[in-house]
């Protein structure tokens, strides 16, 4: 049994240093690299691609709304054409950095508000998927269980990897619970056991005690959260005991 472990990367820019890229890159199989709109800049993009290559980590684009002030977490009212162009612009830029290091872009995962809006709204999901398909219709898309991106992507023939979260609560329909303060890592061992259950049993307990059914092709951990490295190491340990191998979705 195997599963992908992904993390958002390259979210520093200018003088601002964000995340634990050096430590986290050694522990994951897929990196979602910011493309300069919500975070990141050309120098950080290049360095993050180079770091991923050093660790043999699969590279994916992490495009968001043009909202660096709000870190891409503010909901924006954009047309389908604008969203398609945002995806083309950002993913295309990262693709060229990858090519400079003889690498391919293996996947794409939208960021923040764009991620949540696309998962819930068919029109936004379609615009996102159409923009990506113009670039590469075979690029794997990370999407929440039961989301508009997941079912529409499959309908359009775009490969989908269903995503669960190690550091967020899940709802009964397989989505995630958003909080103002972001993810909280309080008990890495217990959280790691929950991840193992999602992978092996396809089940997760919701905050109100209900059972949600999920498929875990890839698991996200937020690298900028205090305790993320400890949680990821706990997941590695729990996976070894459960006989689960960490492998990028591209190699699965």
């Amino acid at each position: 049994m195997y599963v992908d472990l992904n993390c958002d990367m390259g979210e520093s820019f200018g003088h601002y240093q964000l995340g634990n890229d050096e430590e986290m890159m050694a522990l994951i199989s897929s990196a979602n690299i910011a493309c300069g709109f919500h975070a990141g800049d050309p120098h950080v993009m290049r360095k993050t691609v180079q770091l991923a290559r050093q660790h043999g980590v699969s590279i994916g684009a992490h495009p968001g709304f043009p909202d660096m002030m709000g870190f891409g977490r503010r909901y924006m009212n954009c047309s389908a054409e604008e969203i398609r162009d945002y995806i083309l612009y950002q993913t295309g830029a990262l693709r060229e950095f990858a090519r400079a290091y003889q690498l391919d872009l293996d996947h794409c995962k939208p960021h923040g508000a764009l991620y949540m809006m696309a998962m819930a709204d068919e029109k936004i999901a379609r615009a996102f998927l159409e923009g990506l398909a113009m670039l590469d219709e075979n690029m794997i898309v990370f999407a929440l269980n039961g989301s508009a991106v997941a079912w529409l992507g499959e309908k359009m023939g775009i490969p989908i990897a269903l995503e669960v979260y190690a550091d967020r609560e899940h709802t009964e329909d397989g989505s995630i619970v958003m909080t103002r303060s972001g993810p909280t890592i309080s008990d890495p061992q217990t959280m790691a056991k929950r991840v193992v259950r999602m992978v092996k049993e396809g089940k997760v307990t919701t905050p109100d005690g209900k059972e949600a059914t999920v498929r875990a092709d890839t698991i996200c951990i937020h690298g900028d959260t205090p305790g993320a490295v400890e949680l990821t190491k706990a997941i590695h340990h729990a996976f070894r005991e459960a006989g689960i191998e960490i492998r990028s979705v591209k190699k699965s």
Side-chain angles (χ1 to χ4, degrees), residues 81-148:
E81 183 178 48
E82 287 173 322
I83 290 172
R84 285 193 295 267
D85 289 345
Y86 294 156
I87 299 304
L88 277 169
Y89 186 94
Q90 294 176 80
T91 308
L94 184 64
R95 181 183 63 177
E96 295 310 305
F97 278 106
R99 283 180 174 177
Y101 287 90
Q102 293 78 51
L103 298 172
D104 296 321
L105 279 190
D106 294 328
H107 69 275
C108 182
K109 174 185 171 180
H111 168 81
L114 178 57
Y115 180 90
M116 296 305 297
M117 292 174 73
M119 297 301 155
D121 188 308
E122 181 182 343
K123 291 182 180 179
I124 297 174
R126 184 178 295 278
F128 160 68
L129 291 166
E130 287 175 348
L132 194 63
M134 291 171 71
L135 206 85
D136 182 355
E137 61 184 9
N138 295 313
M139 192 178 299
I140 300 167
V141 173
F142 290 2
L144 289 173
N145 282 264
S147 65

Side-chain angles (χ1 to χ4, degrees), residues 1-242:
M1 183 172 286
Y2 46 82
V3 69
D4 180 49
L5 206 58
N6 80 76
C7 184
D8 303 343
M9 294 282 186
E11 293 184 319
S12 299
F13 56 94
H15 293 293
Y16 297 94
Q17 299 298 309
L18 303 172
N20 300 298
D21 287 10
E22 292 280 348
E23 291 180 277
M24 290 297 294
M25 195 70 84
L27 298 170
I28 61 171
S29 49
S30 291
N32 320 311
I33 302 178
C35 304
F37 267 30
H38 79 276
D41 62 35
H43 311 299
V44 172
M45 290 167 71
R46 176 186 57 79
K47 291 177 181 177
T48 309
V49 167
Q50 185 178 30
L51 184 64
R53 183 185 183 189
Q54 291 172 359
H55 288 279
V57 170
S58 179
I59 294 173
H62 195 42
F65 284 131
D67 177 32
M68 195 165 279
M69 286 286 289
F71 199 65
R73 290 176 176 161
R74 296 185 291 191
Y75 282 43
M76 298 181 69
N77 184 16
C78 300
S79 68
E81 183 178 48
E82 287 173 322
I83 290 172
R84 285 193 295 267
D85 289 345
Y86 294 156
I87 299 304
L88 277 169
Y89 186 94
Q90 294 176 80
T91 308
L94 184 64
R95 181 183 63 177
E96 295 310 305
F97 278 106
R99 283 180 174 177
Y101 287 90
Q102 293 78 51
L103 298 172
D104 296 321
L105 279 190
D106 294 328
H107 69 275
C108 182
K109 174 185 171 180
H111 168 81
L114 178 57
Y115 180 90
M116 296 305 297
M117 292 174 73
M119 297 301 155
D121 188 308
E122 181 182 343
K123 291 182 180 179
I124 297 174
R126 184 178 295 278
F128 160 68
L129 291 166
E130 287 175 348
L132 194 63
M134 291 171 71
L135 206 85
D136 182 355
E137 61 184 9
N138 295 313
M139 192 178 299
I140 300 167
V141 173
F142 290 2
L144 289 173
N145 282 264
S147 65
V149 172
W151 68 259
L152 187 58
E154 291 176 354
K155 184 178 179 180
M156 294 171 63
I158 294 173
I160 299 294
L162 292 177
E163 183 175 42
V164 297
Y165 281 68
D167 53 9
R168 287 200 189 277
E169 298 286 355
H170 286 73
T171 62
E172 196 172 0
D173 63 1
S175 186
I176 53 173
V177 178
M178 299 296 289
T179 60
R180 288 183 178 272
S181 59
T184 300
I185 297 172
S186 55
D187 186 346
Q189 284 70 38
T190 298
M191 295 171 78
K193 290 179 181 178
R194 186 185 69 160
V195 172
V196 169
R197 184 167 182 249
M198 284 192 282
V199 175
K200 299 200 77 170
E201 299 179 25
K203 297 287 184 181
V204 62
T205 304
T206 66
D208 56 1
K210 296 179 180 178
E211 288 291 288
T213 299
V214 294
R215 193 180 90 199
D217 298 322
T218 184
I219 299 160
C220 178
I221 302 171
H222 292 90
D224 60 348
T225 305
V229 173
E230 289 73 18
L231 172 58
T232 312
K233 290 179 177 178
I235 290 172
H236 273 252
H237 178 74
F239 278 5
R240 283 194 296 270
E241 291 190 336

